[in-house]
Amino acid sequence: MSDPRNVIIIGSGPAGYTAGIYASRANLKPLMVEGMQPGGQLTITTDVENYPGYPEGIMGPAMMEEFRAQAERFGTQIELGQVTELDVSSRPFKVKSDFEEWETHSVIVSTGASARLLGLDGESEVMGRGLSACATCDGAFFPDKEVIVVGGGDSAMEEANFLTRFAKKVTILHRREEFRASKIMLERAQKNSKIEFVLNQSPVEYLRADDGKLRGVAVEGTKTGERSELDCDGLFLAIGHVPNSKIFKGKLDLDDDGYIIVHDGTATSVEGVFAAGDIADRRYRQAITAAGMGCMAAIDAERWLESQEG
Ligand code: NAP
């Protein structure tokens, strides 16, 4: 095995690439293992209109290309592949991918989270063509349209309320009549005259128009088993996110839902391991906040490495 690296960044996306930019400019010669979806969740969105510096907006994948190019420009070594194992039981730490193995003095985890999807047939074909898992990203594409939000938690309530800024009608489609959402969030949605509720119905099929775009969703009554169809221009999934933290279980402290717990900025439960972006943030989940955390993690790693010298 070659000499230990100063820092290995696990996962790309705004947090990882920003960590790469800062760590390479600090001359740490970082190595990044990009993961199975280089660029992360932004590569499955279309226009990003809320990232400062792009007044005309930019396509998510193009934006990630720019982040990546900037990280490479300062010397971040980017490796294809997926990290399959992190060994923090001794120093230097060991990082194993499906192709290689490295030793490293510090680690920045930025593996992100994935929106939970329904897993129905044809999902990837309608994604971005009427189906979205991010109201903040895509809500503005539905002015005066009718949209459906799937879910009964705080995210569904929040997204439904947000979508009423654009859509003329928002239907919350939930599979039960009890809600996980907090009372205050639920009441806010119930009081919103543009929001309607369809309860005890589970989505079972995406309905597509001749041009392939989503035109509605077929649902099945969870109590009756009866199938019916709901028309809509857009369908937003708000059925939770899943942090990509499987390989860190038992190695780093995770909260009950699998998010990495950070303290004092981006420090994790293991000294020398830092976490940034959606893997450690269940609250904001924005490109700009992830990038900010990536910067913090690189600075935290740099200072920690310095403190270990001599
Ligand atoms: P959540 O609370 O886990 O709710 C997910 C919802 O999706 C549930 O109602 C669930 O139905 C439904 N669901 C899951 N899988 C489904 C499927 N396959 N088909 C149909 N429905 C499905 O997730 P969340 O709303 O994203 O919230 C996550 C956490 O973030 C919570 O702790 C929440 O409080 C927090 N959060 C807070 C705020 C805020 O305070 N501003 C905003 C957003 C999120 P069941 O109920 O039947 O299981």
Side-chain angles (χ1 to χ4, degrees):
M1 212 184 297
S2 47
D3 286 345
R5 311 289 305 214
N6 294 310
V7 57
I8 289 185
I9 301 164
I10 304 177
S12 42
Y17 290 136
T18 306
I21 293 166
Y22 273 79
S24 48
R25 286 175 59 83
N27 211 19
L28 295 176
K29 301 183 173 55
L31 181 144
M32 169 186 285
V33 188
E34 259 185 326
M36 292 303 274
Q37 192 187 2
Q41 289 181 74
L42 277 165
T43 60
I44 57 162
T45 62
T46 48
D47 274 302
V48 179
E49 294 181 327
N50 54 8
Y51 199 95
Y54 296 99
E56 306 303 325
I58 180 169
M59 297 300 273
M63 183 179 167
M64 285 303 95
E65 278 297 311
E66 296 202 355
F67 272 53
R68 190 182 193 278
Q70 196 171 352
E72 274 191 310
R73 177 181 158 208
F74 296 109
T76 303
Q77 180 187 338
I78 299 181
E79 296 285 332
L80 289 172
Q82 170 108 332
V83 169
T84 52
E85 211 178 313
L86 170 67
D87 181 355
V88 291
S89 60
S90 60
R91 292 196 200 150
F93 307 127
K94 289 185 191 62
V95 176
K96 215 188 226 177
S97 82
D98 23 25
F99 304 117
E100 261 180 87
E101 190 171 345
W102 303 271
E103 287 186 333
T104 183
H105 297 299
S106 71
V107 172
I108 294 173
V109 178
S110 52
T111 47
S114 308
R116 189 176 284 135
L117 303 178
L118 287 168
L120 300 176
D121 282 351
E123 193 154 61
S124 55
E125 284 112 74
V126 282
M127 184 55 80
R129 309 189 72 203
L131 178 67
S132 168
C134 177
T136 320
C137 320
D138 299 328
F141 301 125
F142 296 89
D144 284 322
K145 304 277 188 200
E146 297 196 3
V147 300
I148 294 175
V149 177
V150 184
D154 281 338
S155 293
M157 302 307 132
E158 191 170 68
E159 305 228 323
N161 268 312
F162 177 76
L163 286 166
T164 59
R165 294 186 198 179
F166 313 100
K168 68 172 179 226
K169 182 180 156 201
V170 179
T171 303
I172 294 177
L173 172 62
H174 181 35
R175 62 185 177 186
R176 296 188 295 143
E177 42 194 33
E178 298 81 32
F179 294 88
R180 282 180 203 275
S182 53
K183 204 161 173 258
I184 184 164
M185 303 278 283
L186 176 62
E187 278 177 6
R188 200 173 295 153
Q190 285 167 333
K191 280 185 191 150
N192 190 320
S193 60
K194 280 186 168 183
I195 297 180
E196 278 180 17
F197 286 80
V198 171
L199 303 180
N200 298 317
Q201 303 285 334
S202 256
V204 288
E205 188 187 340
Y206 295 119
L207 304 174
R208 296 165 74 177
D210 292 341
D211 62 2
K213 282 192 189 155
L214 189 87
R215 66 167 176 84
V217 63
V219 295
E220 199 174 270
T222 47
K223 291 188 169 167
T224 61
E226 260 170 46
R227 181 189 157 108
S228 53
E229 296 189 352
L230 303 172
D231 294 337
C232 64
D233 301 297
L235 186 75
F236 288 83
L237 301 182
I239 56 172
H241 279 79
V242 194
N244 301 319
S245 62
K246 216 186 274 171
I247 62 164
F248 309 114
K249 211 172 168 191
K251 315 266 171 89
L252 306 175
D253 283 355
L254 309 178
D255 72 13
D256 290 345
D257 294 319
Y259 289 88
I260 294 178
I261 298 171
V262 289
H263 62 91
D264 297 322
T266 62
T268 70
S269 54
V270 174
E271 254 192 63
V273 179
F274 304 87
D278 285 12
I279 188 66
D281 166 29
R282 58 189 303 144
R283 185 162 177 181
Y284 301 104
R285 300 196 294 231
Q286 301 298 304
I288 184 74
T289 50
M293 260 184 114
C295 159
M296 288 159 62
I299 292 172
D300 288 344
E302 183 193 356
R303 291 185 182 156
W304 185 80
L305 287 166
E306 242 169 45
S307 75
Q308 300 299 299
E309 281 170 11

